[in-house]
Amino acid sequence: MKFIEKQVVVSVWKTAAFFLTAIRNLSLFPILIWLLLSCTAETPQILQVQSRVSIRSAGDELAFGPEELSVFALVQHGDGFGDIEELYIAHDSGELYWHLTRDSWTHHSENGNWIGSERLAAPDGEGITPGRYRVIAVDVGGDEAESAFFVAPDRGPALAVPRIVPVEDRLVLESPVSPVLVAIFDRASDALVERALLEAGELGEHDSISFSENTLSSRDIFLSYYDEERERGVVVGPVRFSTAELRSLFPR
């Protein structure tokens, strides 16, 4: 991910600019027509865009911290997904953009090819500016597809932080919004191990994630939810437990 403090201008005509200058020489006009007719008609397409703003909270009760923008575009190309080369997320009025490539974007292949990033940050820890954002997919030949999404202003008040609280020998998931996305990562490799949507309340053996002693002692837990009314999400983690808490949960 790369942040550059200037407006991105990506024109669908940029690949034609070279040929247009040659029209001054009328003898090249038949060559231009042949080139245009022989070019493939396959271009990139953006079928759908999903976006949300989340607060990566450092607070214990209320969500305070830097905002992050998550943007994923469902893209396709007639010549294959491998021809998609770049993705831009641009906020023109704010004169900023993010530039993603195969080396920096996240790719999800469930139900199509989704590319983007979950953690696009504004400069200097500022909030994500509300307004219209453009999403531009560019292929290896310079052809483009464009879509757009809007970020709503933050209307407040502060959102509560989701928590997993040990109560004697059991765990309770507390959250003002339900369900909560629970993601568990291996602490050593940072690899995603498990992920599931869980309802707030007591966590038990019927949940799709097993909160074993090994899970709680050697892995990192992240909790997140999205408030539709506020149009803001909250992310908190890693959630870890002290030795005393583990002993109360798993008495020997």
Side-chain angles (χ1 to χ4, degrees):
M1 183 178 66
K2 181 180 180 184
F3 174 79
I4 303 177
E5 293 186 1
K6 64 179 181 181
Q7 182 173 341
V8 60
V9 179
V10 185
S11 169
V12 294
W13 298 106
K14 66 182 181 184
T15 52
F18 171 78
F19 298 108
L20 292 177
T21 58
I23 296 180
R24 296 174 183 174
N25 188 339
L26 294 180
S27 64
L28 294 179
F29 188 75
I31 298 176
L32 173 62
I33 295 298
W34 176 83
L35 285 171
L36 293 175
L37 292 176
S38 63
C39 287
T40 176
E42 301 295 354
T43 59
Q45 290 180 291
I46 298 177
L47 305 180
Q48 188 177 347
V49 173
Q50 293 186 351
S51 66
R52 66 170 53 181
V53 176
S54 294
I55 303 167
R56 188 161 292 269
S57 179
D60 294 328
E61 296 184 1
L62 296 179
F64 294 104
E67 287 186 338
E68 296 175 344
L69 178 63
S70 171
V71 180
F72 281 87
L74 176 59
V75 298
Q76 71 176 21
H77 198 288
D79 293 328
F81 171 68
D83 271 31
I84 304 292
E85 192 170 56
E86 298 173 288
L87 189 73
Y88 291 89
I89 298 95
H91 185 250
D92 294 324
S93 62
E95 297 187 339
L96 62 90
Y97 72 88
W98 295 270
H99 175 215
L100 302 175
T101 66
R102 292 183 174 275
D103 294 331
S104 57
W105 68 43
T106 299
H107 175 211
H108 298 296
S109 56
E110 299 88 356
N111 300 315
N113 290 296
W114 293 87
I115 56 174
S117 175
E118 295 177 349
R119 302 193 62 178
L120 300 175
D124 303 323
E126 298 175 1
I128 299 298
T129 305
R132 182 179 185 272
Y133 287 73
R134 293 189 297 145
V135 181
I136 305 152
V138 186
D139 69 9
V140 292
D143 290 318
E144 303 155 11
E146 183 174 322
S147 186
F149 65 93
F150 290 84
V151 170
D154 188 1
R155 295 184 292 271
L159 296 168
V161 172
R163 303 189 301 167
I164 294 182
V165 181
V167 180
E168 297 179 350
D169 62 346
R170 54 196 175 90
L171 291 172
V172 176
L173 175 60
E174 297 180 347
S175 174
V177 177
S178 195
V180 175
L181 177 62
V182 180
I184 299 179
F185 293 82
D186 181 79
R187 193 170 297 170
S189 65
D190 202 33
L192 178 65
V193 179
E194 293 180 279
R195 181 171 59 181
L197 288 169
L198 301 182
E199 297 293 331
E202 185 176 338
L203 300 175
E205 59 182 12
H206 299 294
D207 291 315
S208 53
I209 292 180
S210 174
F211 293 94
S212 64
E213 183 176 6
N214 177 66
T215 297
L216 299 183
S217 61
S218 64
R219 293 173 178 171
D220 289 333
I221 302 173
F222 287 82
L223 310 174
S224 62
Y225 69 78
Y226 187 73
D227 188 303
E228 297 285 351
E229 184 176 346
R230 277 281 310 280
E231 297 188 54
R232 287 295 185 277
V234 175
V235 181
V236 63
V239 177
R240 296 177 179 176
F241 297 88
S242 67
T243 302
E245 289 171 331
L246 291 174
R247 285 175 180 169
S248 69
L249 291 167
F250 304 100
R252 300 182 185 277

